[in-house]
């Protein structure tokens, strides 16, 4: 049936009918808030390349988290800012039971036991060279040596009380060995969110400033383990392998430039899909908003597009603000 009996504009003619016919929406249940955690007490530092985002000591974070949790925020993802003195070639600080992340998990879970604490499993905050893995003399990232270290890191997070670990390193086989270690050590309910399709992206630049790994990494790249931005079908293989190895949820990262990959993942798999609106996406939006070039409404539109593409959950540095907007 065509015009005039079919008029697509009828369903757009009032707010009420638009609401009724809306396919997707963003709710506070979809949000995961990534936070940069500092050692010490009462410390807040602005991240220059991410205006409006701070690095915080855990006490400061907790003061912010309590009201957000009351307003429905379910989950946070912890990223540590590690002192240079704790970085080494073998990244041993990553599995220190008294390390920054491990202490942060314990403090947060003892104060807000119901909030889901997700931790990043990767060595880059702890390596002197800023790579996610352990390297040999030539600078090659050693897969099988690295995944042994990742198991120790993941176990230390589980022991500290993390609800979910999120391996973001892109080493082969790491989900399987972490799942096996969790089962052996009786962490049956510690979930794994696999960064399955993580691309070698320049959109991570501001994050590397935030956690202080940019200088260590220098001009080296992560292209020998993170995915090639030119590939989409390869993501299907990566995700299938991680699901077989025991992933409970999978991540696509970055987010907005990779919405097609989210869609492909959703079409192929019946597992929750997370999308990461990464630091560079945040920096682009927020600097345009701060300059008055974009309306702040751009934030909700961007998040809605993640849902439309098929994401079930979204990691976003806006999660704190969006929680307040949705549940004032
Ligand atoms: C490190 C890690 C990175 C991000 C999350 N975990 C950076 C990288 O791989 O270099 C990026 C997040 C962001 O840009 O917001 N394993």
């Amino acid at each position: 049936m065509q015009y005039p009996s079919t008029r697509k504009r009828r369903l757009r003619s009032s707010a009420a009918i638009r609401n009724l016919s809306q396919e997707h929406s963003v709710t506070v249940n979809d949000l995961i808030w990534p936070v940069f955690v500092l050692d010490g007490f009462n410390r807040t530092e602005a991240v220059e390349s991410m205006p409006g985002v701070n690095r915080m000591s855990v006490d400061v974070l907790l003061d912010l988290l309590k009201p957000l949790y009351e307003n429905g925020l379910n989950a946070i993802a912890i990223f540590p800012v590690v002192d240079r003195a704790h970085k080494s070639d073998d990244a041993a600080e990553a599995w220190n039971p008294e390390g920054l992340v491990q202490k942060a998990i314990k403090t947060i879970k003892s104060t807000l036991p119901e909030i889901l604490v997700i931790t990043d499993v990767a060595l880059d905050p702890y390596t002197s060279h800023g790579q996610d893995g352990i390297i040999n003399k030539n600078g090659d990232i050693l897969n099988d040596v690295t995944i042994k270290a990742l198991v120790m890191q993941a176990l230390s997070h589980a022991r500290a009380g993390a609800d979910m670990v999120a391996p973001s390193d892109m080493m082969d086989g790491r989900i399987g060995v972490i799942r096996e270690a969790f089962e052996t050590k009786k962490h049956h309910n510690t979930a794994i969110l696999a960064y399955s399709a993580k691309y070698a992206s320049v959109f991570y630049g501001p994050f590397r400033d935030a956690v202080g790994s940019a200088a260590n990494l220098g001009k080296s790249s992560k292209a020998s383990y993170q995915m090639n931005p030119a590939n989409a079908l390869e993501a299907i293989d990566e995700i299938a392998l991680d699901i077989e190895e025991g992933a409970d949820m999978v991540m696509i990262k970055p987010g907005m430039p990779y919405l097609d990959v989210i869609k492909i993942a959703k079409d192929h798999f019946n597992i929750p899909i997370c999308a990461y609106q990464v630091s560079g996406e945040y920096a682009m939006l927020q600097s345009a908003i701060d300059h008055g070039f974009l309306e702040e409404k751009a934030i909700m539109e961007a998040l809605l597009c993640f849902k439309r593409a098929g994401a079930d959950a979204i990691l976003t540095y806006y999660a704190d603000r969006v929680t307040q907007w949705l549940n004032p």
Side-chain angles (χ1 to χ4, degrees):
M1 288 282 235
Q2 284 180 351
Y3 172 84
S5 50
T6 299
R7 292 176 184 266
K8 296 300 287 179
R9 290 185 53 196
R10 248 181 246 127
L11 293 180
R12 298 174 203 140
S13 59
S14 70
I17 205 162
R18 286 193 295 273
N19 289 342
L20 203 66
S21 57
Q22 177 160 330
E23 295 177 32
H24 298 281
S25 49
V26 178
T27 78
V28 75
N29 289 339
D30 306 319
L31 305 174
I32 301 169
W33 188 30
V35 291
F36 298 118
V37 175
L38 290 171
D39 226 337
F41 191 74
N42 196 22
R43 291 178 66 197
T44 305
E45 287 177 10
V47 179
E48 205 185 333
S49 51
M50 300 175 73
V53 170
N54 296 314
R55 308 179 188 92
M56 293 168 275
S57 54
V58 177
D59 57 306
V60 176
L61 171 62
L62 270 175
D63 285 345
L64 297 177
L65 268 184
K66 284 174 203 156
L68 288 168
Y69 176 68
E70 305 267 293
N71 285 353
L73 181 74
N74 284 305
I76 60 167
I78 300 178
F79 295 96
V81 184
V82 176
D83 280 349
R84 206 166 258 276
H86 292 313
K87 301 193 187 212
S88 61
D89 287 349
D90 66 359
E93 179 65 14
W95 50 91
N96 175 0
E98 293 304 313
L100 174 56
V101 169
Q102 291 81 357
K103 281 191 302 192
I105 300 166
K106 283 184 234 169
T107 310
I108 295 164
K109 289 303 287 187
S110 64
T111 316
L112 293 169
E114 303 291 326
I115 204 158
L116 197 81
V117 172
I118 305 172
T119 57
D120 197 58
V121 173
L123 303 181
D124 54 322
Y126 304 97
T127 51
S128 28
H129 44 72
Q131 292 287 3
D132 290 20
I134 291 167
I135 61 174
N136 66 11
K137 285 198 199 76
N138 302 330
D140 305 325
I141 289 88
L142 303 172
N143 194 89
D144 301 4
V145 176
T146 298
I147 65 177
K148 292 200 177 87
L150 295 174
V151 167
M152 294 194 276
Q153 183 183 25
L155 274 175
S156 77
H157 293 175
R159 284 191 193 107
D163 300 289
M164 187 182 275
V165 299
S168 70
D169 53 284
M170 289 299 281
M171 296 301 127
D172 288 319
R174 86 277 203 225
I175 303 301
V177 290
I178 292 172
R179 187 70 264 162
E180 194 190 317
F182 281 2
E183 294 305 316
T184 308
K185 302 285 183 193
K186 306 238 179 324
H187 297 293
H188 303 299
N189 282 330
T190 310
I192 302 179
L193 163 58
Y195 282 73
S196 299
K198 177 171 178 180
Y199 287 85
S201 171
V202 292
F203 286 95
Y204 309 148
F207 174 97
R208 293 177 191 168
D209 286 339
V211 299
S213 65
N216 303 58
L217 194 61
K219 290 222 180 314
S220 321
S221 100
K222 298 192 176 186
S224 79
Y225 44 105
Q226 298 180 344
M227 279 181 63
N228 181 346
N231 296 354
L233 299 180
E234 189 187 356
I236 301 172
D237 274 0
E238 283 283 4
I239 295 169
L241 285 168
D242 285 349
I243 294 175
E244 253 176 63
E245 291 179 28
D248 299 286
M249 297 174 80
V250 295
M251 176 93 79
I252 313 297
K253 174 185 176 187
M256 201 143 83
Y258 293 80
L259 291 180
D260 58 322
V261 182
I262 298 173
K263 168 81 174 134
I264 289 173
K266 191 65 184 175
D267 287 346
H268 277 80
F269 301 101
N270 300 322
I271 190 171
I273 312 278
C274 285
Y276 200 145
Q277 183 186 49
V278 299
S279 56
E281 297 173 64
Y282 175 89
M284 287 195 301
L285 277 172
Q286 194 55 45
S287 51
I289 292 165
D290 288 346
H291 280 86
F293 300 154
L294 269 182
E295 282 182 66
E296 201 172 44
K297 281 183 187 155
I299 297 166
M300 289 310 293
E301 183 178 328
L303 296 178
L304 181 60
C305 294
F306 283 98
K307 294 297 301 288
R308 194 196 62 236
D312 297 284
I314 310 163
L315 272 100
T316 170
Y317 298 98
Y318 286 114
D320 53 341
R321 278 156 273 180
V322 173
T323 297
Q324 275 151 357
W325 294 338
L326 293 174
N327 293 339

